[in-house]
Amino acid sequence: NQINGAYMSEATASPAIPEDIAKLSFEEALGQLETLVRQLEQGQVGLDDAIASYERGAALKRHCADKLRTAEERIEKITLTADGRPAATPTEIE
């Protein structure tokens, strides 16, 4: 990818996730990704289909990563305050 004579890195050039993938749940997207990987590993597709499968797989992976990141942001750690009352604080997940 080239913009104004400078090449963009793969990390900054992430294309939008296709609408059909964006509608999938994490489990559905992961299932489709696993199926694509299995087909590619077994050589069940021709070159053109393999390239299309790879591109779809990359979009499925990004979608799954986004879903996980969103879930991690929602997880809170429940602790007790000095007076014994529960308090929620964001959990740091790596």
Side-chain angles (χ1 to χ4, degrees), residues 67-77 89-94:
K67 290 278 190 186
L68 283 176
R69 195 170 15 265
T70 300
E72 288 174 348
E73 290 170 357
R74 295 177 59 202
I75 295 173
E76 294 180 327
K77 179 179 175 184
T89 55
T91 300
E92 292 184 27
I93 300 175
E94 295 184 29

Side-chain angles (χ1 to χ4, degrees), residues 9-45:
S9 72
E10 196 65 32
T12 60
S14 61
I17 295 173
E19 188 175 326
D20 66 318
I21 291 176
K23 292 179 182 180
L24 297 175
S25 70
F26 174 81
E27 293 79 8
E28 292 167 331
L30 186 59
Q32 285 189 21
L33 182 57
E34 289 171 343
T35 299
L36 285 174
V37 169
R38 217 175 7 264
Q39 289 172 346
L40 289 169
E41 288 177 343
Q42 295 172 357
Q44 295 178 351
V45 293

Side-chain angles (χ1 to χ4, degrees), residues 74-85:
R74 295 177 59 202
I75 295 173
E76 294 180 327
K77 179 179 175 184
I78 305 299
T79 57
L80 296 178
T81 61
D83 62 0
R85 294 183 19 202

